[in-house]
Amino acid sequence: MIGTSTIEYIILRACILFLHNIAPTSLLYSALFLVSFLLDQNPHTYRLPFPIEVWLLSEAAFYTIVFLPYERYLQRAAIHPEPLSQEERAKLFARCNINVSDPEKYIRQWLLGAKVNDIKRENVKEFIRWAFWNAGDVLQRDEDEVEDYVRALEKLLGRSIPHGKGSAKSLRLTLDKVNCSHRSLFWYLCVSVVDTITFCSLLYNGFHFHRTSLACFVELFPFQPLTLVSGYESPVKHLTYWYRPHTSKTRLPILFIHGIGIGLYPYTNFLRELNTRGGEGCDGDVGIIAIEIMPISSRITHSALEKDVMVREIQTIIRHHGWAKFTLVSHSYGSIISTHLLKSPLTAPAIGNVVLIDPVSFLLHLPDVAYNFAARQPVYANEHLLWYFGSKDIGVAHTLARRFFWSENIIWKEDLGLEVEQWEEGRKVTVVFGGKDILVDTNTVGRYLIDASFEGPQISDKAIRMASEIKTAIVSGLVSVGGEEWKTRPWIGSGLEVLWFEQLDHGQVFELERTRRPIIKVIRVYTQARSSS
């Protein structure tokens, strides 16, 4: 993630302008080429150099033959999960209402920032039908329940919502159009270069790539020719991954799940540093599995996997390598998959301690993540980066519009398993936030997590020394403000804790060694915890 300086804005906007105009330029040149070929006796007049001409004609063909039909194909309606029962809906609605700190913002942002005067009762009902029924309309017998929820929101707001329908429009991700932008062949060439760098880097650092079957090679674009040389095959149909063998007998291996972007490239240094031994006395290497999620990695491929399919495939991979327990680490969108793993009876028993970096799954009923990613009009350089290279990507846009169901993806503190019976001190969870995050309201989520968080056992002198070492490694700039002392609270390695980086934006914690270091130390401490069973 880049910053907000003027020079960064100019450079980024220039890059977006270039990439965005490749398609119209190639279409215009192809039209002129065709006209000159049909009408001119000398079709070589006004011709560009042959390599550039081949590129532009290829771009035009790719846009018309691949992108346009694929974009129409992606507009198919979402297959929503089974609707909740009335009791389950009421429980979910009540839970959400309890955790709304700013009711006016809550309503207005789900209605795309509409003015209060433009929001009337039917607008709010439209949002409620989508949020709690996954539908544009509900049966007549459910309308009374919808009305009850509107009354509950009125109590939350402290005012009445006028009858009628205003000009406000509700943000309904799974019902709205899949809003994506064309990606050129040139862009996919850049992705291939980055992919090659990632492949070579991870291979050099001791990871083995596990590919899907050779028959699935053509199902991913841009193609990955280097994967053909791998002698390791994934035990599942869809997921590919990088694996570092686990040889330690006293520590837990690590499962890492990345976020939206360009795959594992932003995490190569992080994985390399995790790959080093933990110091003297280690009895072997800590194994690492880094899952690749191609639908959110700037690729054209299969749709994002359904929740249950993803859980089963990860479970199969874990069992394939003989892991009975593991430490779970994820970033951003990876926290959604972590949510499913933590909730599933298939995988939850195998999860030891957890590190969630820039998670988006807490308080997902609040509009911040959906609005900031899918609806906000970008102004600053970092917002344009998130908008063009993130939310407008074909795979990402489809994933969020047709495969992202907030009520399934949300995780509450109670779901973290902080008192798992088979663990002597309960499961330990550390959540990492940046104070300048443009996607998540980290202040609100952080306060939610820390309030009445699980209190661990009496802190030992060793734990205090370890906490001091980790805390002093965190980037400077933290200031303890009234009511925000939780941001500077020492990390003690017990229960639910937060690491707060005041000056960092979403994803920036991976960019510098000094900001990665405290997270890596936390993970290494977490891998030392063993089950008592």
Side-chain angles (χ1 to χ4, degrees):
M1 187 69 73
I2 64 175
T4 58
S5 67
T6 302
I7 187 64
E8 288 173 308
Y9 177 84
I10 293 173
I11 293 173
L12 183 66
R13 292 290 285 149
C15 291
I16 292 175
L17 186 66
F18 169 73
L19 293 171
H20 191 66
N21 283 287
I22 288 176
T25 302
S26 62
L27 290 170
L28 177 61
Y29 181 78
S30 298
L32 293 174
F33 174 82
L34 182 61
V35 170
S36 66
F37 184 83
L38 294 175
L39 301 179
D40 197 344
Q41 293 296 325
N42 183 12
H44 297 285
T45 305
Y46 310 119
R47 295 278 291 275
L48 292 173
F50 182 72
I52 297 178
E53 184 176 84
V54 170
W55 171 48
L56 291 177
L57 293 176
S58 299
E59 291 283 10
F62 182 75
Y63 179 81
T64 54
I65 297 174
V66 177
F67 173 73
L68 290 180
Y70 191 54
E71 183 186 30
R72 288 194 295 270
Y73 170 78
L74 294 179
Q75 302 303 326
R76 295 178 306 163
I79 301 175
H80 291 88
E82 287 294 320
L84 300 175
S85 67
Q86 183 174 356
E87 182 180 354
E88 290 170 329
R89 273 195 307 272
K91 182 179 178 180
L92 177 61
F93 181 85
R95 206 174 197 181
C96 292
N97 263 22
I98 292 172
N99 291 286
V100 174
S101 58
D102 187 342
E104 290 290 351
K105 176 189 173 184
Y106 175 70
I107 294 295
R108 291 187 62 230
Q109 211 161 43
W110 274 121
L111 294 170
L112 297 173
K115 296 178 181 178
V116 173
N117 292 338
D118 295 329
I119 301 173
K120 300 194 184 319
R121 211 169 195 81
E122 285 304 316
N123 304 111
V124 176
K125 286 185 176 182
E126 183 181 69
F127 159 68
I128 290 174
R129 293 184 191 107
W130 168 75
F132 296 95
W133 276 265
N134 288 314
D137 296 296
V138 298
L139 297 175
Q140 187 60 42
R141 68 170 181 263
D142 292 325
E143 284 296 340
D144 290 341
E145 189 179 347
V146 175
E147 179 64 27
D148 289 340
Y149 293 161
V150 175
R151 294 195 190 101
L153 286 175
E154 287 179 321
K155 291 181 180 179
L156 193 67
L157 290 165
R159 62 175 177 84
S160 62
I161 300 174
H163 291 273
K165 185 171 185 179
S167 59
K169 183 180 178 183
S170 175
L171 175 58
R172 302 181 299 171
L173 289 176
T174 57
L175 299 180
D176 295 338
K177 177 185 176 183
V178 178
N179 196 359
C180 58
S181 294
H182 169 256
R183 294 292 186 264
S184 64
L185 289 173
F186 178 81
W187 167 249
Y188 287 121
L189 174 63
C190 295
V191 172
S192 293
V193 172
V194 171
D195 189 62
T196 301
I197 295 171
T198 304
F199 190 95
C200 294
S201 174
L202 291 174
L203 199 64
Y204 177 78
N205 285 291
F207 288 82
H208 303 150
F209 181 70
H210 288 247
R211 56 173 175 80
T212 52
S213 66
L214 296 177
C216 298
F217 176 78
V218 296
E219 295 180 1
L220 177 70
F221 185 82
F223 304 125
Q224 295 181 302
L226 282 177
T227 64
L228 298 177
V229 304
S230 175
Y232 302 92
E233 186 170 336
S234 174
V236 296
K237 180 179 179 181
H238 302 97
L239 292 179
T240 56
Y241 60 96
W242 286 89
Y243 172 65
R244 179 205 184 192
H246 183 67
T247 59
S248 174
K249 302 297 184 184
T250 61
R251 294 184 293 165
L252 296 177
I254 299 165
L255 173 67
F256 177 72
I257 307 173
H258 67 79
I260 287 172
I262 198 164
L264 288 171
Y265 174 74
Y267 312 97
T268 50
N269 289 329
F270 176 74
L271 292 171
R272 172 177 54 79
E273 291 159 7
L274 273 181
N275 199 22
T276 58
R277 293 202 175 200
E280 295 183 4
C282 292
D283 64 336
D285 294 326
V286 170
I288 302 172
I289 290 176
I291 302 289
E292 290 188 324
I293 311 171
M294 288 307 180
I296 60 167
S297 299
S298 302
R299 315 299 170 100
I300 298 177
T301 185
H302 59 80
S303 300
L305 300 182
E306 295 177 355
K307 175 189 66 173
D308 294 337
V309 176
M310 175 67 78
V311 169
R312 284 197 301 269
E313 292 211 351
I314 291 178
Q315 181 200 29
T316 300
I317 291 170
I318 295 301
R319 287 184 172 179
H320 177 73
H321 293 285
W323 291 8
K325 295 277 186 183
F326 60 89
T327 300
L328 177 61
V329 182
S330 65
H331 176 242
S332 192
Y333 182 88
S335 66
I336 299 298
I337 298 169
S338 297
T339 295
H340 300 157
L341 296 176
L342 287 163
K343 290 181 178 181
S344 172
L346 296 177
T347 50
I351 298 174
N353 300 319
V354 180
V355 178
L356 302 173
I357 307 166
D358 297 331
V360 297
S361 51
F362 290 108
L363 301 187
L364 200 52
H365 67 289
L366 299 180
D368 301 274
V369 172
Y371 180 84
N372 292 337
F373 199 88
R376 176 177 55 194
Q377 292 300 309
V379 176
Y380 301 104
N382 54 352
E383 294 175 354
H384 278 281
L385 179 70
L386 184 69
W387 171 75
Y388 186 79
F389 294 100
S391 62
K392 293 296 182 181
D393 176 77
I394 297 173
V396 173
H398 182 262
T399 297
L400 296 183
R402 296 296 181 264
R403 297 285 186 168
F404 191 93
F405 308 108
W406 77 269
S407 59
E408 285 190 341
N409 297 338
I410 193 169
I411 189 168
W412 306 94
K413 285 187 292 185
E414 295 80 3
D415 300 322
L416 294 174
L418 299 174
E419 299 182 13
V420 177
E421 291 180 0
Q422 61 262 42
W423 286 79
E424 293 177 348
E425 300 176 356
R427 179 181 289 148
K428 301 175 180 65
V429 179
T430 292
V431 184
V432 182
F433 288 123
K436 306 295 184 183
D437 197 309
I438 63 168
L439 184 59
V440 181
D441 183 353
T442 51
N443 281 284
T444 297
V445 178
R447 284 193 296 270
Y448 161 75
L449 292 175
I450 292 304
D451 287 347
S453 63
F454 175 73
E455 295 294 336
Q458 186 65 35
I459 305 171
S460 66
D461 292 338
K462 180 180 178 182
I464 293 174
R465 290 195 301 272
M466 176 184 65
S468 176
E469 179 184 1
I470 289 176
K471 203 65 180 183
T472 54
I474 295 179
V475 63
S476 60
L478 284 172
V479 179
S480 182
V481 184
E484 297 188 348
E485 66 280 351
W486 57 271
K487 294 182 180 179
T488 53
R489 190 177 298 173
W491 188 89
I492 62 174
S494 178
L496 174 58
E497 299 182 87
V498 168
L499 285 184
W500 183 268
F501 296 82
E502 180 66 31
Q503 300 301 322
L504 296 188
D505 195 353
H506 198 86
Q508 284 185 334
V509 73
F510 293 101
E511 295 178 3
L512 298 174
E513 191 275 337
R514 64 180 177 134
T515 54
R516 295 191 298 267
R517 189 187 309 131
I519 301 173
I520 289 171
K521 288 185 177 181
V522 168
I523 294 170
R524 286 179 179 168
V525 171
Y526 277 3
T527 62
Q528 294 170 5
R530 299 297 292 179
S531 171
S532 62
S533 58

